[in-house]
Amino acid sequence: MDEESTIFIFIDDEPRPIAEVKSPVNFELDTRKLVDGNHTLKVVSKDPSGKEGIRLIPFVVRNGPAIAIEGIRENAGADGVLPLM
């Protein structure tokens, strides 16, 4: 019988994994526990002999209320008084 790999799941640069499970893996990531913005999911698979594989997956969390701005665009030049809505 084949031995299972151990999977460690990390978020961002946290030193402790949020999960440590045996393969195959079904895992639910609850993004409601993360602040909005850029994050990285790091999955480390370690086989019984100690060999590791690593996968980094950048993602963006957007759980907060939507914000729509009128009157300025991203990276636009601006001077004077800008009416924003």
Side-chain angles (χ1 to χ4, degrees):
M1 181 172 162
D2 293 334
E3 294 185 48
E4 301 170 328
S5 293
T6 302
I7 311 298
F8 302 90
I9 301 172
F10 299 85
I11 295 292
D12 300 327
D13 294 323
E14 289 295 320
R16 293 174 39 158
I18 60 170
E20 179 179 332
V21 294
K22 297 290 185 186
S23 64
V25 176
N26 283 319
F27 179 80
E28 291 183 355
L29 175 63
D30 187 355
T31 64
R32 296 173 296 182
K33 296 179 180 178
L34 300 173
V35 297
D36 282 5
N38 296 320
H39 295 278
T40 302
L41 178 70
K42 179 172 144 182
V43 180
V44 179
S45 177
K46 191 172 194 176
D47 71 14
S49 70
K51 190 185 265 185
E52 288 187 352
I54 299 174
R55 174 109 187 249
L56 299 175
I57 305 167
F59 64 101
V60 179
V61 171
R62 291 192 183 102
N63 288 324
I67 300 172
I69 302 288
E70 290 187 24
I72 192 168
R73 293 185 318 245
E74 289 184 27
N75 303 313
D79 63 357
V81 177
L82 297 175
L84 300 177
M85 182 167 81

